[in-house]
Amino acid sequence: MQQHRVIVLGAGYSGAIAAGRLAKQLHREDVAITLVNAEPDFVERVRLHQLAVGQKLTPRPFGEMFADTGVELKLARVTAVDAERRTVTVTANGTGATEELEYDTLVYALGSGWDPQGVPGTAEHAHEISSRPGALRLRERLAGLEAGRSVVVVGGGLTGLEAATEIAEARPDLDVALAARGGLGDWLSPKGREHVRKVFKGLGITTHEHTAVTAVEADRITTADGGAIPAAVTVWTTGFAVHPIARATTLEVTDSGRIVVDATMRSVSHPDVYAVGDAALAMGPGDKPLRMSCASGAPMAWQAADAIAARLTGGKLPKTAPRYFNQCVSLGRREGLIQYVTADDRSVNAALTGRLAARYKELICKGAVWGVANPKLGIPTRRRHILRTPAAPTRATA
């Protein structure tokens, strides 16, 4: 019997976990798993604000991470997906050669990047930290910035809070500010908001609340009220936009280009395609979409890998739905905030703060990397053979 060909696109948290977890459950002679990624090392996206201020991150080569797993790593950039012909077109690193790969099952995990949101001047003048190249460019710019110059972080979400505090702590000689469309930490509990304000005050960060940015220039940002805020460096953290490839396919996607999936992370329009991480729109507790985050991506990858293995081997489909427990925020290296939340991600009146929270967040970051290298979380797994004549895929239901 020909091997069942599984192609995983993207090796962020979701894609890497899905590939490794699937390899742990199926016999190698039955399945060929190919992981396509543009970079040879795993990128700890949750630490890119640390990289941006000059901290060294531990290299994590995929060659070591996937050694002896049966996962084949293909270093290439994905340029197209044909969901009708079941093919993926990639451009190889180094040579630039184009290759067409055929699949029986596709796991789409190309993730997301920064979202300039069409604000004039953002793409030309702002920096982003949603990618390693972006964080490295910001690191170079900050390293050459003279004392007393201004840095403005635009965006009051988790990434904005982490970026502003990390920069202010690493460079106390700079004038750091944050511009937020709403109130500072307005989604947090009262204790959480109070702690964020305390840390911001201690680091000397100026906060511009209820401030919409309408333009970015080389030395300033313009606000909706016509005002201007000096900014020798602007860091844009207002949200994420998914890779545009899915929108160009026949897959059912949302207006924002996310692939619509069912409870097993299977495409609702193409049953041989699964999508995980930021690239997918999956519903969580309370019938609310799972937010773009590592906290969502890992359980989505578990769900997809287990569902694929079950369908190929005739096993039981996973029934545990992803849910949330807390939001972990680093506020520099010495402070942190662990905001406890409901299953559908609403803040409750319980939060951990200070150095203990910073240590907790560090453990979470280390645990996330460990989870990529140990996708079954240390639980022994018996590899199963796939069915000799797997049932033909039908329109996904649940």
Side-chain angles (χ1 to χ4, degrees), residues 357-372:
R359 296 191 189 102
Y360 186 111
K361 172 62 186 296
E362 179 62 21
L363 287 175
I364 292 295
C365 291
K366 290 180 177 178
V369 172
W370 182 87
V372 173

Side-chain angles (χ1 to χ4, degrees), residues 53-77:
V53 299
Q55 296 172 31
K56 292 184 178 180
L57 303 185
T58 303
R60 303 188 186 280
F62 284 121
E64 296 178 8
M65 189 174 289
F66 288 108
D68 300 321
T69 64
V71 175
E72 177 192 353
L73 178 65
K74 181 174 286 293
L75 295 178
R77 182 170 55 88

Side-chain angles (χ1 to χ4, degrees), residues 6-10 34 36 74 76-91 98-108 110 245 249 273:
V6 179
I7 296 179
V8 181
L9 304 182
T34 302
V36 182
K74 181 174 286 293
R77 182 170 55 88
V78 181
T79 57
V81 172
D82 188 329
E84 303 309 316
R85 295 177 55 239
R86 297 185 183 182
T87 63
V88 175
T89 304
V90 301
T91 301
T98 298
E99 182 181 3
E100 190 175 81
L101 309 176
E102 296 181 344
Y103 66 82
D104 298 302
T105 297
L106 179 70
V107 180
Y108 188 104
L110 289 179
I245 285 181
T249 70
V273 176

Side-chain angles (χ1 to χ4, degrees), residues 335-348:
E335 287 280 357
L337 169 65
I338 308 301
Q339 174 64 63
Y340 296 102
V341 299
T342 59
D344 62 350
D345 210 29
R346 290 175 291 114
S347 296
V348 299

Side-chain angles (χ1 to χ4, degrees), residues 26 30 227 293 369:
L26 301 173
D30 291 351
S293 65
V369 172

